[in-house]
Amino acid sequence: MSDHSLPVYKALSSPARLKIIRLLATKPYSIKELSKKLGISQTITLRHVNQLRAAGLLKFTKEGKSKISHLSVDDIKIQFPSQIQSSSLSSHQVDIPVGLYTDFKVEPTCGLADLNGFIGKVDEPKYFMAPERRNARIIWFAKGYVEYEVGNFLEPGEQVQMLTLSAEMGSEIPMSNEDWPSDITFTLDGKKLGTWTSPGDFADTRGKFTPLWTPAKFNQYGTQVTLIVSHDGTWIAGQKISSTTIDNLTPLPSRMKLRIGIARDAQNQGGCTIFGKGFGNYDQEMRLTLYCS
């Protein structure tokens, strides 16, 4: 239970949106069909549907000129803070600016941008070496990886009980495509944490914090992802994505290497976009937190 869950809670706080979920549980509907069922205008219906989509509860497909809405989840699990997250534990939080990677290997389409514009030329990997990359607030690549070195600020005697990584991420395709799955893999110090499948690359509405200079058809926002490594395995959105536990990672080195990328054997080779502070729907950098006893 965290602030990152607020879009889901807000999406479920409307009788109209709950009715949309009940309707979509029976079969997919177009915006026009939902509007007729709800007895409200298509404009307001689309606004409700977009909020459900932004919360990750549904997705769109296209049939001709119509947008068809489908449920993308079967259930929602709310996990209340457990003893391992109690106030008796200390925590060390590190924000990771998206441009401060220490290693990379990327292929087009690719690029970086700061709050004022693109850094170098897009689709030319050499600009990932530009000194201005430290100011980047969004990066994207079709294939490859970026790697970050993250400091370990544990105090003597502290033992790690859980690790979390939160970030706003999406797929990567020229312009955008809301139905463009991509298998994004996370590793820490060479140990695979797991793979998360991004549903797409979204530009149906402008990101809440995305600068106005960004072209409207350019990917505007992603999906907020929180990866949890506990004693029971690695989890994302209540789903266990691997059997890697915190015990497999400890003792942590003084400089941890976090790699995010597309594996060569990934089934969905849909690229990766990482949104930092000033882009997307969440005004924050990637964030790694260690919970210790």
Side-chain angles (χ1 to χ4, degrees):
M1 179 176 285
S2 71
D3 290 347
H4 302 315
S5 304
L6 282 174
V8 176
Y9 303 149
K10 290 178 180 178
L12 297 176
S13 66
S14 161
R17 291 192 287 275
L18 290 178
K19 188 171 182 180
I20 289 173
I21 290 174
R22 290 194 293 269
L23 288 168
L24 294 180
T26 61
K27 68 172 188 175
Y29 280 94
S30 69
I31 300 298
K32 184 178 180 180
E33 290 170 332
L34 286 173
S35 172
K36 187 175 180 180
K37 289 278 188 181
L38 295 170
I40 57 178
S41 72
Q42 292 187 42
T43 301
I44 295 176
T45 301
L46 181 59
R47 190 181 306 161
H48 284 307
V49 168
N50 279 336
Q51 187 161 352
L52 289 167
R53 211 283 291 277
L57 302 180
L58 60 81
K59 61 183 179 180
F60 292 142
T61 59
K62 280 201 171 183
E63 291 184 10
K65 295 183 179 180
S66 298
K67 277 186 175 181
I68 307 299
S69 301
H70 307 254
L71 285 182
S72 57
V73 297
D74 293 320
D75 55 37
I76 294 173
K77 177 182 179 182
I78 300 178
Q79 183 172 344
F80 285 84
S82 62
Q83 290 182 348
I84 199 167
Q85 296 168 292
S86 70
S87 58
S88 63
L89 294 184
S90 60
S91 64
H92 299 276
Q93 179 178 292
V94 181
D95 282 356
I96 311 169
V98 298
L100 288 187
Y101 46 84
T102 53
D103 190 16
F104 72 93
K105 185 177 181 181
V106 300
E107 296 181 27
T109 51
C110 60
L112 314 88
D114 60 23
L115 296 178
N116 300 310
F118 297 113
I119 296 174
K121 296 179 180 178
V122 297
D123 295 340
E124 293 194 21
K126 64 184 179 182
Y127 286 103
F128 273 65
M129 282 298 295
E132 294 83 3
R133 72 180 186 274
R134 65 183 180 275
N135 300 320
R137 301 297 182 90
I138 183 173
I139 63 174
W140 62 94
F141 51 92
K143 294 183 179 180
Y145 65 85
V146 287
E147 186 174 274
Y148 300 84
E149 286 199 5
V150 186
N152 177 351
F153 299 104
L154 295 178
E155 299 293 341
E158 287 186 323
Q159 294 183 337
V160 180
Q161 301 296 336
M162 184 172 67
L163 176 154
T164 66
L165 175 70
S166 63
E168 184 175 358
M169 309 183 72
S171 309
E172 165 51 28
I173 188 175
M175 297 304 180
S176 64
N177 187 333
E178 60 196 20
D179 187 18
W180 189 254
S182 184
D183 298 335
I184 300 174
T185 296
F186 304 85
T187 66
L188 189 69
D189 298 318
K191 295 171 180 145
K192 182 178 177 181
L193 302 180
T195 298
W196 167 72
T197 301
S198 165
D201 192 0
F202 307 122
D204 56 314
T205 58
R206 181 167 289 278
K208 293 179 182 177
F209 301 99
T210 299
L212 293 177
W213 68 262
T214 308
K217 293 184 179 180
F218 185 79
N219 43 358
Q220 293 288 319
Y221 65 92
T223 301
Q224 185 72 4
V225 180
T226 299
L227 179 148
I228 301 172
V229 186
S230 70
H231 290 292
D232 300 316
T234 301
W235 307 75
I236 289 180
Q239 299 293 320
K240 190 173 184 178
I241 63 170
S242 84
S243 58
T244 301
T245 68
I246 195 67
D247 303 295
N248 299 140
L249 303 178
T250 54
L252 295 172
S254 59
R255 293 161 65 180
M256 299 175 284
K257 291 186 177 181
L258 171 67
R259 179 175 291 194
I260 302 170
I262 312 300
R264 291 184 178 181
D265 60 352
Q267 181 178 354
N268 297 299
Q269 298 268 346
C272 177
T273 301
I274 307 177
F275 297 81
K277 191 175 179 65
F279 275 82
N281 284 342
Y282 300 87
D283 196 27
Q284 69 170 59
E285 305 289 4
M286 290 187 291
R287 181 168 294 164
L288 185 142
T289 306
L290 301 178
Y291 294 90
C292 315
S293 61

